[in-house]
Amino acid sequence: IDDPDAKKSLPFIGFLLVALGTGGVKPCVAAFGGDQFDFSDSTQTTMKEKFFSMFYFSINAGSLISIFLTPILRGDVQCFGNDCYPLAFGVPAILMVISTSKDK
């Protein structure tokens, strides 16, 4: 892209799309998980507590791993003689696709 105004506006459009996507999905995932349990059943109350513990553990573990893994993939692996951003962001994208795919 040769237009300097377009170069400045494209990152903000990306940030806006990420904010809209994250804001629409994150609150719904936890609520959807909690909605699967019957609150009147004491065994399901225990299962609900375990669900939320594992849910938040998984989110935080994924964030922690990505903090260390993404810079390693970007800097230590070379793509076309430069830092490998496609690999650094492609691995999480592939893992997200795998995590949301249905078992057959």
Side-chain angles (χ1 to χ4, degrees), residues 16-94:
L16 177 66
L17 292 173
V18 168
L20 289 173
T22 302
V25 170
K26 275 192 177 180
C28 297
V29 172
F32 179 71
D35 194 37
Q36 305 304 306
F37 298 99
D38 182 12
F39 295 106
S40 63
D41 187 0
S42 63
T43 58
Q44 293 223 350
T45 302
T46 304
M47 290 172 59
K48 180 185 66 170
E49 291 171 3
K50 288 180 182 179
F51 165 77
F52 280 109
S53 294
M54 289 304 299
F55 177 74
Y56 285 108
F57 173 78
S58 300
I59 289 174
N60 291 322
S63 296
L64 181 67
I65 291 168
S66 70
I67 287 171
F68 294 106
L69 186 62
T70 301
I72 290 170
L73 291 175
R74 179 196 55 83
D76 293 350
V77 179
Q78 297 295 313
C79 293
F80 310 110
N82 297 319
D83 287 347
C84 195
Y85 286 97
L87 180 64
F89 291 103
V91 169
I94 290 168

Side-chain angles (χ1 to χ4, degrees), residues 8-22:
K8 290 179 183 177
S9 63
L10 282 176
F12 290 106
I13 293 170
F15 291 144
L16 177 66
L17 292 173
V18 168
L20 289 173
T22 302

